[in-house]
C-alpha cells in the first residue's frame, strides 16, 4: 500500500502570496488531518477532514483553510502569507473508526516565507 | 486549556543504557494516548495507541504504560541502540473531538555508540 503523499516537498514564497499544499492519503483512509511544526512549538493541529467535511479545527487564523475531495485527497491553503507561516506542514491519514487508529504521516511540505 | 507535556526535553545516553520518558496529559474526557517516533528526515511513525487505564504495550525493546486516572504515560527503551535516536512524541485524544490530537513537544533521544 502506498503511504501518505504530500506535494510539493519544498516551497519558497514571499510575504503576501498564497500557497496550496496537497495530500493524498493511504487508500481506504477517509480521515485526513493537518499539522504545523515550527521550532520549539511541536506539532500544532490545524484541521481534520472526514468525508469532505471539516470535523475539527485548531486555533489558527482564517487565512488557513482546507478542503477534502470525494477521493479523500485533501488540500490546505494559506493566504496572505506571513514570515511566521514558515514551517513544516504535515498531513496524516487514518481510519476514522475506533479509538485505536494511529495517524499515518506524510513526509511533509517545508514552506519558507521570505 | 489542554496541555500535553513531555519530559525530559532531550536525553543523551550510551548504547546499552535503558531509558524512559514521561508524558503527562489532562485526564478528563480521556479517549486515547498515542506515541510516535520521529527520526530525522523521515515522517513520524506510530509506536502505540493506548486507551485503557493500566494498559501496557510492547514492541521489541520499547514498551509503554498508561495511567488515565492521574494522566501520565511512560515510554521505556531497554538496551538503547544508536538506531533508537529520534524524537519521541506523545499525543492525547479527547473524547468527542474527532481525530484531533494534541501533541507534546517531544523528547529528543540521542544514543551514542
Amino acid at each position: 500500500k502506498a503511504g501518505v503523499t504530500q506535494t510539493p516537498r519544498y516551497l519558497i514564497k514571499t510575504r503576501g502570496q498564497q500557497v496550496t499544499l496537497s495530500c493524498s492519503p493511504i487508500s481506504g483512509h477517509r480521515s485526513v488531518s493537518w499539522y504545523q511544526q515550527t521550532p520549539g512549538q511541536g506539532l500544532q493541529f490545524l484541521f481534520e477532514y472526514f468525508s469532505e467535511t471539516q470535523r475539527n479545527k485548531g486555533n489558527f487564523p482564517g487565512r488557513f483553510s482546507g478542503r477534502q475531495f470525494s477521493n479523500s485527497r485533501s488540500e490546505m491553503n494559506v493566504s496572505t502569507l506571513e514570515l511566521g507561516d514558515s514551517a513544516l506542514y504535515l498531513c496524516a491519514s487514518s481510519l476514522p473508526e475506533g479509538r485505536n487508529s494511529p495517524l499515518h504521516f506524510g513526509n511533509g511540505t517545508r514552506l519558507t516565507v521570505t | 486549556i489542554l496541555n500535553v507535556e513531555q519530559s525530559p526535553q532531550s536525553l543523551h545516553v550510551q548504547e546499552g543504557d535503558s531509558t524512559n520518558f514521561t508524558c503527562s496529559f489532562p485526564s478528563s474526557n480521556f479517549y486515547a494516548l498515542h506515541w510516535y517516533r520521529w527520526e530525522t528526515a523521515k515522517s513520524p511513525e506510530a509506536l502505540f495507541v493506548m486507551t485503557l487505564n493500566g494498559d501496557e504495550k510492547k514492541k521489541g525493546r520499547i514498551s509503554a504504560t498508561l495511567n488515565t486516572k492521574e494522566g501520565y504515560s511512560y515510554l521505556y527503551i531497554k538496551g538503547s541502540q544508536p538506531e533508537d535516536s529520534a524524537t519521541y512524541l506523545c499525543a492525547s485524544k479527547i473524547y468527542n473531538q474527532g481525530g484531533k490530537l494534541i501533541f507534546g513537544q517531544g523528547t529528543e533521544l540521542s544514543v551514542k555508540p
Side-chain angles (χ1 to χ4, degrees), chain A residues 35 40 48 56 99-100 103 106, chain B residues 31 36 43 51 97 99 101 105:
Chain A
Y35 290 84
E48 184 213 4
N56 230 314
R99 294 171 73 174
N100 293 312
L103 296 184
Chain B
Y31 198 57
Y36 292 86
S43 52
T51 58
Q97 294 247 324
L101 283 178
Q105 300 259 27

Side-chain angles (χ1 to χ4, degrees), chain A residues 25-33 48-51 53 55 68 72 92-104, chain B residues 31 93 97-100:
Chain A
I26 291 173
S27 177
H29 286 193
R30 294 185 296 157
S31 172
V32 174
S33 50
E48 184 213 4
Y49 286 88
F50 171 61
S51 290
T53 301
R55 190 156 72 161
Q68 186 180 34
S72 294
S93 73
S94 67
L95 294 169
E97 297 80 15
R99 294 171 73 174
N100 293 312
S101 301
L103 296 184
H104 298 265
Chain B
Y31 198 57
K93 186 182 275 195
Q97 294 247 324
K100 178 180 180 178

Side-chain angles (χ1 to χ4, degrees), chain B residues 48-68:
Chain B
F48 306 113
V49 178
M50 308 172 80
T51 58
L52 301 175
N53 184 45
D55 207 2
E56 289 189 32
K57 297 233 175 182
K58 189 173 179 180
K59 188 176 183 177
R61 294 178 290 99
I62 305 177
S63 60
T65 61
L66 179 67
N67 183 320
T68 61

Side-chain angles (χ1 to χ4, degrees), chain B residues 7-51:
Chain B
S7 63
Q9 210 168 355
S10 65
L11 202 50
H12 299 267
V13 301
Q14 290 294 131
E15 183 176 353
D17 287 350
S18 291
T19 185
N20 64 84
F21 326 132
T22 303
C23 171
S24 63
F25 55 89
S27 54
S28 59
N29 296 317
F30 171 83
Y31 198 57
L33 192 284
H34 293 219
W35 281 100
Y36 292 86
R37 174 170 57 200
W38 194 356
E39 295 177 67
T40 303
K42 295 188 178 180
S43 52
E45 174 194 0
L47 287 171
F48 306 113
V49 178
M50 308 172 80
T51 58

Side-chain angles (χ1 to χ4, degrees), chain A residues 22-63:
Chain A
S22 180
C23 172
S24 293
I26 291 173
S27 177
H29 286 193
R30 294 185 296 157
S31 172
V32 174
S33 50
W34 290 87
Y35 290 84
Q36 181 198 63
Q37 201 240 1
T38 53
Q41 284 292 321
L43 287 174
Q44 302 290 312
F45 175 79
L46 281 154
F47 26 65
E48 184 213 4
Y49 286 88
F50 171 61
S51 290
E52 301 178 64
T53 301
Q54 187 180 85
R55 190 156 72 161
N56 230 314
K57 191 177 192 311
N59 294 326
F60 279 82
R63 300 185 296 107

